[in-house]
Amino acid sequence: MTPATAWHSEVFRFYLLIIGGLLAVAGGVLGFLTVVLRKDVRPVWVTYRSWLLMVPVVLGAVWGGRAPVILLVGLLALLGMKEFEIGRAHV
């Protein structure tokens, strides 16, 4: 898929809308919990910020086509194997 094809795809735009909406709602809920209800949700904010970084990377790879997706999945597999090996060394 080329970037032009992705942008003209109704499915890709629909996923962008869903993901953007979910991130916006989640940010709103976290803001409400933090400001209005005075709840300590700092760990959840860390996770939320991680998603704010991950989503553009994944969508950018999908938008870029086959080669960026393969590269991203390969990098994730290498990082996963590294983490797996580090975890096994401590057992």
Side-chain angles (χ1 to χ4, degrees):
M1 177 180 290
T2 65
T5 306
W7 191 246
H8 293 294
S9 168
E10 288 182 31
V11 174
F12 185 77
R13 287 192 314 241
F14 184 67
Y15 281 133
L16 283 177
L17 182 65
I18 289 173
I19 293 168
L22 287 173
L23 286 174
V25 168
V29 169
L30 285 174
F32 177 78
L33 290 172
T34 302
V35 175
V36 177
L37 299 181
R38 304 273 187 219
K39 299 288 183 181
D40 182 21
V41 290
R42 282 179 283 181
V44 183
W45 275 111
V46 171
T47 303
Y48 177 73
R49 284 194 301 262
S50 298
W51 277 102
L52 289 177
L53 293 173
M54 287 185 286
V55 166
V57 169
V58 171
L59 288 177
V62 171
W63 186 68
R66 181 179 298 170
V69 170
I70 292 170
L71 180 65
L72 179 65
V73 170
L75 287 172
L76 289 174
L78 287 173
L79 290 171
M81 287 302 295
K82 179 182 173 188
E83 188 71 25
F84 178 74
E85 287 300 318
I86 290 171
R88 285 182 52 104
H90 294 291
V91 174

